[in-house]
């Protein structure tokens, strides 16, 4: 039996003091490691409030090159000390280009590589196209602790193509750091249940565990982040989950040999018909 213990973090990140937010995440990372977690997932863009709620050119100053970003620096130090891996979301500046990026930090504190968010949303309260170029890295997977993981970023999680691409690249676990909540244009629209169902669908259709980490709390005048971070197994059954207001650490031990057995038995990859899928790669 091959087991790995994973964690998802959930908390408020509304402080405009970058070090306060990073310090809060750091404390939760240490808590997760103390509980035996080997891979710890913080939420998306955790160094501050979700700045994409509005378009403000002054906010481009929050971006840094990968190795200079305070989130990356702090998580590298923690990973090295605690001997854990941390998929770290941050606002990247690469010359004149800006990306919503994830640095995959291993248990030695080294950056294994980066993934730049592929799907960029654009709508009230989530005006990311103003800040981020679409990612140019393609989907990524990484080998950690005897398994291979895939990581998508927030809006990526709504796309079954993202999950399936990472699965076809050999991923056995899928991670999604997230910043999602209320919709400013419709106070009655609560997407939290659809958000979970979409990712649970990825778990079931690829027969592998999924971990999602979201923020909570009110930011600005019209936006409240709804949490509901979770860890589910290859059947989509919940192993650990939070509600809308809880802060803390979710952990679960994943049985990857069991998931691999189920994945083979279900035949989803055996019965694929890529010869029929050409339409998926065409524009609408």
């Amino acid at each position: 039996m091959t087991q790995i213990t994973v964690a998802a973090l959930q908390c408020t990140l509304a402080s405009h003091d970058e070090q306060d937010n990073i310090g809060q995440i750091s404390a939760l990372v240490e808590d997760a490691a103390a509980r035996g977690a080997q891979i710890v997932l913080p939420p998306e863009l955790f160094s501050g409030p979700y700045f994409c709620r509005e378009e403000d050119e002054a906010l481009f100053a929050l971006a840094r090159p990968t190795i200079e970003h305070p989130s990356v620096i702090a998580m590298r130090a923690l990973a090295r000390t605690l001997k854990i891996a941390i998929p770290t979301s941050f606002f990247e500046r690469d010359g004149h280009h800006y990306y919503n990026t994830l640095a995959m930090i291993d248990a030695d504190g080294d950056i294994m590589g980066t993934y730049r968010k592929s799907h960029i949303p654009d709508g009230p309260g989530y005006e990311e196209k103003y800040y981020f170029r679409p990612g140019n890295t393609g989907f990524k997977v990484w080998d950690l602790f005897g398994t291979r993981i895939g990581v998508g970023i927030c809006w990526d999680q709504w796309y079954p193509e993202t999950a399936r691409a990472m699965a076809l690249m050999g991923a056995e676990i899928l991670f999604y750091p997230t910043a999602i909540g209320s919709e400013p244009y419709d106070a009655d629209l609560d997407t939290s249940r659809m958000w979970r169902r979409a990712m649970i669908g990825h778990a079931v259709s690829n027969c592998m565990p999924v971990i999602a980490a979201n923020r909570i709390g009110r930011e600005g005048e019209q936006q409240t982040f709804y949490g509901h971070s979770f860890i589910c197994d290859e059947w989509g059954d919940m192993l650990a989950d939070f509600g809308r207001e809880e802060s803390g650490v979710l952990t679960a031990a994943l049985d990857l040999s069991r998931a691999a057995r189920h994945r083979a038995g279900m035949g989803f990859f055996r019965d694929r018909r890529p010869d029929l899928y050409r339409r998926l790669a065409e524009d609408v």
Side-chain angles (χ1 to χ4, degrees), residues 53-107:
R53 291 180 288 106
E54 58 187 356
E55 296 185 5
D56 181 351
E57 65 181 17
L59 295 175
F60 283 99
L62 297 172
R64 320 284 213 293
T66 301
I67 62 173
E68 298 176 16
H69 198 283
S71 294
V72 175
I73 293 169
M75 294 304 109
R76 291 185 70 186
L78 276 175
R80 186 180 306 114
T81 298
L82 300 172
K83 298 302 177 186
I84 61 173
I86 310 173
T88 300
S89 171
F90 68 102
F91 187 12
E92 180 195 5
R93 175 172 59 82
D94 181 10
H96 296 301
H97 296 160
Y98 297 83
Y99 298 95
N100 188 333
T101 299
L102 180 130
M104 188 63 248
I105 299 171
D106 69 14

Side-chain angles (χ1 to χ4, degrees), residues 146-197:
T147 188
R148 179 169 289 182
I149 73 166
V151 186
I153 302 173
C154 199
W155 194 232
D156 289 332
Q157 68 209 355
W158 294 91
Y159 292 83
E161 297 89 347
T162 302
R164 179 52 57 89
M166 293 189 291
L168 290 171
M169 295 166 71
E172 297 181 276
I173 316 171
L174 303 177
F175 291 79
Y176 294 102
T178 298
I180 190 169
S182 58
E183 302 290 343
Y185 71 92
D186 186 349
D188 296 323
L189 178 59
D190 179 1
T191 64
S192 63
R193 66 193 187 283
M194 294 91 85
W195 176 75
R196 274 192 170 185
R197 287 171 187 164

Side-chain angles (χ1 to χ4, degrees), residues 221-262:
E221 296 181 359
Q222 301 184 65
Q223 205 157 20
T224 301
F225 293 88
Y226 53 55
H228 286 299
S229 303
F230 70 91
I231 303 170
C232 73
D233 68 10
E234 71 274 14
W235 293 141
D237 293 328
M238 288 294 171
L239 301 176
D241 65 309
F242 278 139
R244 289 179 173 275
E245 299 180 354
E246 295 159 276
S247 292
V249 176
L250 298 173
T251 60
L254 306 177
D255 186 341
L256 298 181
S257 59
R258 186 191 72 178
R261 186 173 70 249
H262 290 159

Side-chain angles (χ1 to χ4, degrees), residues 19-49:
Q19 292 306 315
D20 282 352
N21 293 302
I22 293 173
Q24 182 178 196
I25 290 294
S26 296
L28 293 177
V29 168
E30 291 175 336
D31 186 1
R35 300 185 194 193
Q38 296 158 277
I39 306 176
V40 179
L41 181 69
E44 180 186 23
L45 299 171
F46 62 80
S47 64

